[in-house]
Amino acid sequence: MSIILVGGMDRLGEQYLKEAKKQGMRLRIFSRAEQNMGGKIKHADAVVIFTNKVSHQARNEAMSAAKKQGIPVFMHHACGVCTLRECLNCVSLIQQQPASAICSQSGKEAQT
């Protein structure tokens, strides 16, 4: 399973990757807006956006690309490893359930 992380803290990058690997997922991190980010997102199974550590431009581009492809988006204000773990657990639950399922762990909802 391929997950895109938009935002977060650069210094936690290795820990984010380790957490995703523990859960059997591939994680790609965009800590800031990149050229053709939308094209890189379109093959993901889910997008996680840490809203407190990302520019509006990167957030908007990620949201737009995910919406076009029908990819679920998980938005959280916090950007710790525990928050990523919760998001990855939600992704796993959604992949196991029908597409209409919404994970509302920690009061956050997935947007499809």
Side-chain angles (χ1 to χ4, degrees):
M1 188 175 308
S2 177
I3 310 298
I4 300 291
L5 173 62
V6 180
M9 300 175 81
D10 289 334
R11 67 182 176 88
L12 294 178
E14 287 298 317
Q15 291 174 332
Y16 294 149
L17 293 170
K18 286 179 186 178
E19 187 61 39
K21 188 174 182 179
K22 259 198 292 191
Q23 296 198 28
M25 299 179 185
R26 290 184 320 263
L27 183 69
R28 184 153 187 197
I29 302 169
F30 295 100
S31 58
R32 61 191 60 82
E34 290 188 16
Q35 192 168 2
N36 193 27
M37 190 166 65
K40 297 170 185 173
I41 287 174
K42 70 181 182 181
H43 300 293
D45 295 308
V47 176
V48 175
I49 302 174
F50 288 157
T51 59
N52 69 336
K53 295 291 183 185
V54 69
S55 69
H56 290 292
Q57 177 189 358
R59 178 200 167 275
N60 291 341
E61 189 172 344
M63 289 291 295
S64 176
K67 188 174 185 177
K68 284 180 187 174
Q69 299 296 322
I71 299 170
V73 175
F74 299 86
M75 298 177 72
H76 282 267
H77 186 69
C79 62
V81 177
C82 292
T83 304
L84 178 64
R85 185 179 306 124
E86 289 176 7
C87 290
L88 297 178
N89 287 335
C90 286
V91 170
S92 294
L93 289 173
I94 286 176
Q95 293 297 323
Q96 296 169 7
Q97 296 177 4
S100 63
I102 295 179
C103 181
S104 61
Q105 200 170 21
S106 298
K108 306 295 180 194
E109 293 186 353
Q111 299 177 3
T112 56

